């Protein structure tokens, strides 16, 4: 049971209802997830979180499917059952196939493994990563404006 | 200082050197990262980890750049400094632009935020996610055989 | 089902019962939570954990409500469903309003987000934080004895 | 070295400079932390993150000091060195004494311990926590509008 | 409900069935856990994961019971309910008594506590740990060949 | 730089010095680690933490080496650099060989990987784990007193 309960559409304030409407229109869905209904107990957090999500998940240098898969990767790493369920559903809706999901999980598992091997073995960061970043950074800075968003 | 020290190429055993060679050829690089040099103290873990990474990071249903960005997402979530540095470098080498990195970070940050909002508010999983998965699963299962598993 | 089962009051050893009694008296409650009943399979851990909790959660420089909210913040960050449920209940009992809970969650979410932005962007610690701490430390050390625990 | 480098005030775009100005005025400081200088490579994330932080950390049902301590609690739990350093400094500036810091750490440590005891012993959530929340929720909902932000 | 469903023995492909057979023979069990049935949707991950587990959990410098307890320690730290349940069962089968489980949990809890005290207090690593490792490393390197690698 | 600085032996209060003495005698060492010197700013946390550690790490159903390795497993999972360094040193002092360390890391890495595969694939807990625990529990409870601590 959600800590503060869920705010259903029919008894939501106009402020909350406006966010709900925007969510449904933006996502082309006809019902609101429990996550938003729970946040609606705090309208300012509801609005801020939705505005941030809307801004971040919009197509940009990365496409929506890639973004949803990154969301799943983080959620699986953090063991957030709700978020794994909801964002896996969102990723599938955005086009994630079974094969893509399987590869996503394989990378997530492997990254979690090698993260601990690197820390457990107390491996020092290679100087070339630092230096390389530096160089890339200078190169990247110069021609920044005409950056091709080709992906 | 790495716990067991680093095994340099010139004093590596033939078994370790074979893995080093495969890493350099596969990745088209001419030096071995500290991570592998640290693991080389345990040749079986070195070989197993490399074989797994090689299999997982190869192009398949997901392209190498997407995989590297997922790797960065997990590493940033886990606060693994070594892995953030090395996989950010790898992702850039695979084509990640500054804009792609910035969007990746925005998603990672947001996912880490909403993961805690979902758990902190004790939000229950929506029935449609479970049901939806179920339906997707059945639909997905049926025509499964002819799916191109090109990976 | 708890791994070692739950030790109920009526069949607890005198040693365990003494801790149960102290918990109920200290917290002014008339039943023992499953957490303690599970730990009671190991009386020394039960006692040690309770003694530590009792010492730590007592009013001091921080009031009990603030401490319970910090407990919720950590539990939400770690995705511990049991601890979120029990400490949210405890915090409410100690006076946490809906509005306080909502702000608590907003901070917890934001902190989890910026924690990853800071690590993901590989931001170096500002020198003033180190230097500032140093100065604060020296200033703080001097007049230490007469510290007013007014909060 | 920050992945994309740091954007200094003197060579920042007007858009970034506007955020920098707002940070310095709002926080009554005369320099910008590396965190913001790193985010400034992505002006939209800089602006969004700052607007969120400003909204969340403002005095409300919880005072700024409590909020900063919650920030430290999350950052210590996540092992984010940058965030621990910067928010510990911020909390001290907001009035956190050595004694308050010590109690904060004691609670954070204990919560991290019992989070794992609860999950490791596979303790089921007590029915009263669920039921209790339910009841609290209904009671809390009714007189919601005239909520006194007295804290 | 597992995301991609569970692959039962009777409708598994020969490739998957071969792994299932090896699991049952190696572990002397007569049914396959849900974990493997879920992974079987991606035969290459099923095979790779099983081969890694089989190699890693085999008796070596550490005995199987110690390895299973380490597995439980990590799973409790990560709050992975499935893994806590399955590896606690495996550890018990390998001989873990109630008393051993209780001590395991006590160490896991304490380590999670002091991990946060160390990071929260921003404690610097003692020079002797680095130096000590260095010395150990040199001593360890020299007579390395004659070490009995019985694993 | 530790947040509150380090309390050196020569300027420690008698209360702190008593704990320092007990640490050095119990562990047969002649200097105090930074961890304890940092905690000493809060004598009650210093004493409580040391008493807990002393009680937990003493030989029991598990030997000290196993306990130290479990400590390293948790610390590597949490990415706590200080704790990895200090407890790896402690484990080596307690007899951990290079081969044991390597196997420890292999298990820690694998557990962190499969923890995410289990959560990411949303695998449901097998009924036999729950039922099996139940049965084990009843069997285990009966003859509890004469438990043989043979390990």
């Amino acid at each position: 049971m959600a800590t503060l309960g869920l705010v259903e559409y029919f008894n939501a304030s106009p402020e909350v209802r406006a966010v709900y409407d925007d969510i449904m229109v933006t996502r082309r869905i006809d019902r609101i997830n429990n996550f938003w209904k729970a946040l609606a107990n705090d309208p300012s957090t509801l609005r801020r979180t939705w505005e941030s999500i809307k801004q971040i998940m919009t197509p940009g240098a990365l496409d929506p499917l890639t973004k949803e898969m990154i969301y799943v990767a983080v959620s699986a790493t953090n063991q957030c059952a709700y978020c794994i369920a909801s964002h896996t559903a969102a990723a599938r809706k955005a086009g994630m196939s079974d094969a893509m999901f399987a590869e996503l999980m394989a990378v997530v598992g492997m990254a979690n493994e090698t993260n601990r091997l690197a820390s457990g073995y107390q491996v020092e960061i290679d100087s070339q990563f630092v230096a390389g970043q530096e160089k890339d950074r200078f190169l990247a800075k110069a021609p920044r404006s005409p950056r091709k968003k080709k992906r």
Side-chain angles (χ1 to χ4, degrees), chain A residues 7-22 43 46-47:
Chain A
V7 178
E8 300 296 342
Y9 191 91
F10 66 86
N11 60 5
S13 68
E15 182 184 5
V16 165
R17 214 173 269 187
V19 177
Y20 282 4
D21 288 345
D22 192 35
L46 173 70
R47 178 173 297 281

Side-chain angles (χ1 to χ4, degrees), chain A residues 76-95:
Chain A
T77 297
N78 286 330
Q79 308 272 344
C80 177
Y82 184 89
C83 314
I84 293 168
S86 62
H87 286 281
T88 297
R92 299 188 81 137
K93 196 172 162 189

